[in-house]
């Protein structure tokens, strides 16, 4: 009971800090072409019905996000000024805060939920590590202050993962999972891969429910097919230039962090084969099955679009794989904590050396992120 109270206080503080960070990023980063186009041409240029029917032609159709933005801007009577349509970057503090408000809330909630989960599952130190890992992620910083659907997609991905884990552990929450799946395909239709991955994990866990199959799998699949046909009829899906896989890995994971986690993970596996630490192996294996399914889906998406690559209408870049970011954060935190637990149980003398090594890795990662942050326009204009 006391831990839950502390966790609630911790969660409120994390959310408040994240909102402040997001607000600061919002003011530092000017509005750019895609955000302006989405607001002026898509959100303000179509009715609610047209938005839900997929009539706006953008690279990623996001009806749920468009509706949210239209509700927010309509509530305060805001219209993007037509005179500000020229140029790629626009400084307008009021518009920056208003148009990115939903993105700031969604990303702050996503980080808070991850930190809260790590607090409850491990400790408050793991919760803080989750926050640091999140805010040092290139993808989080790049799309935290962005009037586009990516932050909402991250939040729904986090909700899906934790709801899925709840269903596996308790057998409850299938309705909530189905609702999340419905919102996911309305937010970004390509998230159908996440829906199918969750279904496979539930099937392998012997959780088979006809109502969930209809509402949580078949209905989202039908929505995906509908929007896919709409996009295909306008030729959008045949005009992509595809991001290089190594560029994707570097943006989503950070090659430095990916390499470190691979080494730590291998050492942990090697050291615990005969001397296992006290963890719920079956629980972790189900999480891993979900992650494997998501990674396979991401690879298939890359292969599909690479095989259909033509003169680009736009680039299929890393932002369309931002759903991998929450998993990168969780895998990083879990790996670091489990290695620490093993060292603490088997050779506690080395645990502070390990902590200092982790601090060093995070400092190096932060330096690399700071170097790459100019790729998204922060601090580059003013």
């Amino acid at each position: 009971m006391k831990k839950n109270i502390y966790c609630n206080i911790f969660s409120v503080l994390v959310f408040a800090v994240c909102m402040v960070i997001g607000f600061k990023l919002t003011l530092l980063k000017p509005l750019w072409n895609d955000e302006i186009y989405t607001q002026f041409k898509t959100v303000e240029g179509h009715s609610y019905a047209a938005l839900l029917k997929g009539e706006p032609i953008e690279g990623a159709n996001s009806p749920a996000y468009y509706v949210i933005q239209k509700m927010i801007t309509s509530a305060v009577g805001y219209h993007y000024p037509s005179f500000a349509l020229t140029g790629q970057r626009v400084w307008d503090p009021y518009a920056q805060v208003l148009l990115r408000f939903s993105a700031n809330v969604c990303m702050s909630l996503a980080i808070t939920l991850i930190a809260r989960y790590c607090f409850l599952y491990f400790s408050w130190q793991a919760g803080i590590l989750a926050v640091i890992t999140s805010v040092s992620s290139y993808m989080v910083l790049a799309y935290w202050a962005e009037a586009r659907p990516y932050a909402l997609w991250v939040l729904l991905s986090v909700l899906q993962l934790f709801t899925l884990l709840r269903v596996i552990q308790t057998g409850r929450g299938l309705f909530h999972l189905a609702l999340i799946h419905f919102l996911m395909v309305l937010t970004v239709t390509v998230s159908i891969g996440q829906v199918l991955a969750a279904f496979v994990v539930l099937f392998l866990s012997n959780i088979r429910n006809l109502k969930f199959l209809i509402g949580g799998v078949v209905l989202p699949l039908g929505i995906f097919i509908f929007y896919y046909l709409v996009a295909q009829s306008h030729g959008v899906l045949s005009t992509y230039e595809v991001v290089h896989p190594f560029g994707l890995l570097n943006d989503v994971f950070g090659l430095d962090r990916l390499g470190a986690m691979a080494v730590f993970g291998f050492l942990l596996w090697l050291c615990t084969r005969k001397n296992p630490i006290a963890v719920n192996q079956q629980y972790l294996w189900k999480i891993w099955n979900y992650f494997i399914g998501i990674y396979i889906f991401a690879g298939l998406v890359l292969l599909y679009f690479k095989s259909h690559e033509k003169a680009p209408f736009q680039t299929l870049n890393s932002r369309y794989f931002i759903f991998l970011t929450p998993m990168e954060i969780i895998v990083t935190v879990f790996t670091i904590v489990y290695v620490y637990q093993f060292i603490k149980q088997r050779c506690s003398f080395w645990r502070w050396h390990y902590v200092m090594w982790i601090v060093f890795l995070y400092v190096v990662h932060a330096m690399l992120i700071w170097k790459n942050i100019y790729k998204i326009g922060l601090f580059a204009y003013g």
Side-chain angles (χ1 to χ4, degrees), residues 258-271:
L258 183 63
M261 291 307 103
V263 171
F264 286 153
F266 175 74
L267 291 176
L268 182 64
W269 172 79
L270 195 65
C271 295

Side-chain angles (χ1 to χ4, degrees), residues 2-47:
K2 185 176 291 188
K3 186 173 183 177
N4 287 333
I5 295 175
Y6 290 149
C7 185
N8 290 336
I9 296 173
F10 173 79
S11 301
V12 171
L13 291 175
V14 169
F15 180 74
V17 170
C18 286
M19 285 294 293
V20 172
I21 294 174
F23 179 75
K24 185 67 174 178
L25 291 173
T26 292
L27 293 177
L28 287 172
K29 182 181 176 184
L31 293 170
W32 71 292
N33 181 67
D34 283 14
E35 295 176 287
I36 296 169
Y37 182 91
T38 295
Q39 180 60 31
F40 188 79
K41 294 291 187 180
T42 300
V43 175
E44 296 181 12
H46 295 82
S47 65

Side-chain angles (χ1 to χ4, degrees), residues 10 14 115 118-119 123-135 333:
F10 173 79
V14 169
C118 292
F119 185 108
S123 63
W124 65 268
Q125 294 96 329
I128 293 177
L129 179 64
V131 175
I132 297 173
T133 306
S134 299
V135 299
V333 174

